[in-house]
Amino acid sequence: MIKANQASRRDFVLGLAASSAALRPAVGPGSWLSPGRTARVSSASKQVPANHVVNILDFGAVGDGRTLCTSSIQAAIDACAAAGGGKVFVAPGKYLTGPIFLKSNLEFEVLAGATLLGSANFADYPTIPGWWEGLERTVYASMITGTDVENVAITGQGTLDGQGGVWLDAWGKTEKLRKKLGLIGREPENPPGSALPWPRPRMINLYRSRKVLISGLTIHDSPSWTVHPVLCEDVYIEGLTIINPPHSWNTDGIDPESCRNVRISNCYISTGDDCIMLKSGYKQIPGKPFLPSENIVVTNCVFNAGGCGVGIGSETAGGVRNVAISNCVCDGTTCGLYFRTARGRGNVVENVSAVNVVMRNLEDTGIIFSMFYEDEDRSTLHSVDVRTPVFRNFHCSDILLDGAERAVVVEGLPESPIQGLSLDNVFVKAAEKGISCYQVHEFSVSNAVVHVNSGPSVQCKNALDLELIRVRAPKSQPNVPVIALENVHQAMVQSCSAAESSPALVQLRGDGNRDITLALNRVSKQTQEVVFADGASEQGVVRRI
């Protein structure tokens, strides 16, 4: 093992008891992180060189859970990096620590039976320039922090315990003071005398880093967001277990922000806030461009308590694109999938696919596409400018929902409707309300079975180019149609069916419906194919087949 008292790098290296393959050459900066250069996409994020193996016990760390070990752990990291890189490991035991800082070409492994215990003393946490809620600002350094590092790994079957309760308590007191002083929004810093002078630390927080692997750890009781990479590229996160207290504000699981080429797989997450949320900067700020989050895969994950399983936003100032979500289970979260933005955030969220998602016992909604986060003005047509967000090209298929207040909610802005959204192979076994859409262009629902307790199975308002194909509602309700359309233009309702006792398959409401086609629908003798209300008439229907 490397010893702390070795005098020179030469003696240091000669005294190693373990070594392996030599380091690969470092990768130079790419265009996405450094303007003007062409970015390289590495396929080797899981391959971290282990040139030297270092035990933190050899640098004075004491695993009694009471002795502060920050300096010992950092000394082990610094020594290993100075020798050319390799592995630093945390042996079984419980180690009290403040923030530690990673170096390039290094694996930090927390072995099974080992716990890093976050200090509850705020004085043990230095402040650094960082990001919080989409804005650059001074923050407390996190338990594991990395800035401008590459070829790093944070691994092991051990545990990171943030002891977040003291931080959440300070946050609550600070929020009360902010409200008392009239500090609105996230831009103002916390006032003097706050219980929490700076934004809370995270468990793992990386900035402008490349070729990152985070694997295997159990992480719980985080002070805030648990894993937060910012402006990072080629990030692989696998096999994490993240457990934070229910209903604890901002204790998200994994929040990549303005990151590129990210893979998240095989994680179990139960938090007090969102489980996985993709972000890219708070809002449009003149002279302050934000980079996008792009090329992101989330697969084979299980989500328990939390705001949502997987989502995007609400910070979308840099845009989010090219996202694939698959083979996930949401059991007991508030929502399943939640894609959100708001006026002022600007930029584009596009090319998002979610397939093979099972949702059960949700507190609120299965899938939400909303452009009204923190904005309740749904009727006023605002002017379009750089602050206007855009949602386009979403696809969700093979969705199973068993228990929710609402199945699906789609709501675009009057000045920026959601463009291009398809829901295929959707089975809603149980929900209080069905699928609703508002301000959307090119919306299709196909092969959907929707069991609801109240209201229409599908309800659309202010929609253009709508297709409802093979939508079935096995459960009837008195005086409630299966499909309700209001101010809908260019719609096809085809091969849909209603329960025998349903009063109507389709209801047109108001005089704003145009070019509605009804084709090959199946209704019983006592069920009308289409009925009209509030000024609607047969003129809205262009053909029946």
Side-chain angles (χ1 to χ4, degrees), residues 116-150:
L116 289 183
L117 185 66
S119 172
N121 184 355
F122 292 8
D124 292 333
Y125 291 77
T127 58
I128 62 171
W131 285 49
W132 179 242
E133 291 192 314
L135 292 171
E136 290 184 90
R137 62 198 328 156
T138 299
V139 299
Y140 282 113
S142 300
M143 175 182 280
I144 299 177
T145 301
T147 302
D148 298 311
V149 296
E150 65 179 318

Side-chain angles (χ1 to χ4, degrees), residues 443-457:
F443 179 41
S444 70
V445 180
S446 64
N447 294 330
V449 179
V450 186
H451 295 257
V452 296
N453 294 327
S454 63
S457 294

Side-chain angles (χ1 to χ4, degrees), residues 178-196:
R178 289 175 66 94
K179 291 179 181 178
K180 181 179 179 181
L181 297 176
L183 297 177
I184 299 173
R186 63 187 69 177
E187 290 89 348
E189 298 286 2
N190 291 336
S194 297
L196 185 70

